[in-house]
């Protein structure tokens, strides 16, 4: 008996060892799985539209074609429209907005006649942008009314005559709804679900798209609702059915662009990135207009597995600890000849 007790003393925890090891192994396997599962959003975050105050900001590219892209802008009466001007060409261009509503400038005028007209009538904005540079025009629409239309041109000689003009249309019907969307270098839209509740149709929807990564993208919204685009056919489809909007999201983190469009009926509108390969990699989302967003998809089954693995490892660890405790006591008590259980703890 003495031999047995002495040999048991240093190894009293041995029966518990396999249980402890099994528990620890399971736990180390389960923890990363559980963490990874936690990071997967169970329900896709939904971006919900809210009413927009003031005019949506817009970006207009100035090209050497020469053109303004886009050449049709919308502002809200009695607000300020901020226009970011990006000169993507190698010539200087101006963004010069007429002050006379409804007046269409005559493209057969000479450059000096055009200049004389602006000198006589003034402009709502007149910003010159050098090649490769950017500028901003703050177009104040105080005192304008819905239905007003102001022509804008480039005053650089012969650019207006060659087609560099556009129209700024003023609305009072409310600035519509605003949504926020992000693009990522992992080729995702975040969120990939947008929801808008229009009080009336047609309704303007303004999506502020922010690039959180470095790759350039587009935010392109199909104009037909309830139609599923496919990576194989979207180019052909868009050539037959022009999208509501195809906004270029400039490369570089923090770049933003407004994608503004008008929907005239409830429905589910798909949006994609048109950069080759991006849609095929999953860069797409759905905009629900006055259509309920379906409930989130069920949690991935790995979450259930990870939970049970964690519970199992906890149980095994518990068994191991219990065995260790029991073994230490059963191994120790008989070794105190004549001693009481309080041993050296008390008097
Ligand atoms: Cu993209």
């Amino acid at each position: 008996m003495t031999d047995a007790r002495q040999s048991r003393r240093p190894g009293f925890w041995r029966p518990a060892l396999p249980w402890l090891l099994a528990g620890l192994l399971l736990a180390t396997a389960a923890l990363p799985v559980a963490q990874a599962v936690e990071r997967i959003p169970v329900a896709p975050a939904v971006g919900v539209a809210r009413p927009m105050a003031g005019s949506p900001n817009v970006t207009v590219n100035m090209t050497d074609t020469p053109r303004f892209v886009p050449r049709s802008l919308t502002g809200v009466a009695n607000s300020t429209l901020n226009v970011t001007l990006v000169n993507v060409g190698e010539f200087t261009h101006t963004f010069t907005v007429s002050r006379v509503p409804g007046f269409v400038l005559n493209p057969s005028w000479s450059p000096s006649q055009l200049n004389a007209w602006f000198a006589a009538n003034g402009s709502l904005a007149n910003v010159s942008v050098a090649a490769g540079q950017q500028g901003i025009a703050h177009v104040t629409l105080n005192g304008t009314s819905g239905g007003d239309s102001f022509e804008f041109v480039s005053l650089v000689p012969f650019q207006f005559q060659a087609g560099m003009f556009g129209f700024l249309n003023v609305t009072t019907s409310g600035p519509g709804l605003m949504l926020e969307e992000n693009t990522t270098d992992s080729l995702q839209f975040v969120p990939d679900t947008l929801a808008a509740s229009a009080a009336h149709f047609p309704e303007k929807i303004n999506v502020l798209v922010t690039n959180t990564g470095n790759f350039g993208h587009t935010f392109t919204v199909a104009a037909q609702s309830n139609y599923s685009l496919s990576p194989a056919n979207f180019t052909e489809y868009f050539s037959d059915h022009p999208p509501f909007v195809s906004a270029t999201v400039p490369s570089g983190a923090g770049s933003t662009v407004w994608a503004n469009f008008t929907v005239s009926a409830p429905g589910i509108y798909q949006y994609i990135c048109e950069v080759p390969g991006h849609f095929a990699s999953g860069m797409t989302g759905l905009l629900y207009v006055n259509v309920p967003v379906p409930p989130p998809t069920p949690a991935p089954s790995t979450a259930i597995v990870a939970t049970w693995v964690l519970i199992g490892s906890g149980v095994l660890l518990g068994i191991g600890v219990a065995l260790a405790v029991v073994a230490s006591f059963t191994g120790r008590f008989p070794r105190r000849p004549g001693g009481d259980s309080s041993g050296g703890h008390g008097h």
Side-chain angles (χ1 to χ4, degrees), residues 79-146:
S79 75
T80 297
L81 175 68
N82 297 315
V83 184
T84 300
L85 301 162
V86 182
N87 188 339
V88 297
E90 293 176 357
F91 297 104
T92 296
H93 300 283
T94 82
F95 176 78
T96 308
V97 186
S98 154
R99 183 178 276 286
V100 183
F103 190 86
V104 179
L105 299 162
N106 187 339
S108 66
W109 283 349
S110 70
S112 58
Q113 282 176 303
L114 187 66
N115 280 333
W117 188 87
F118 273 100
N121 294 283
S123 59
L124 291 175
N126 183 24
V127 176
S128 179
V129 186
Q133 300 297 302
Q134 290 199 11
I136 187 153
H138 306 284
V139 186
T140 303
L141 299 172
N142 291 338
T144 64
S145 334

Side-chain angles (χ1 to χ4, degrees), residues 274-285:
E274 289 184 84
V275 174
H278 287 200
F279 179 21
S281 300
M283 198 155 187
T284 181

Side-chain angles (χ1 to χ4, degrees), residues 151-191:
E151 189 165 3
F152 56 89
V153 301
S154 173
L155 287 183
V156 174
F158 299 108
Q159 291 188 352
F160 162 65
Q161 290 80 0
M164 195 157 186
F165 61 87
F167 291 91
L168 163 54
N169 303 307
V170 177
T171 176
T172 51
S173 65
L177 300 171
M178 178 189 172
L179 283 159
E180 284 172 282
E181 182 58 274
N182 299 284
T183 58
T184 73
D185 277 355
S186 53
L187 308 184
Q188 299 289 318
F189 286 113
V190 180

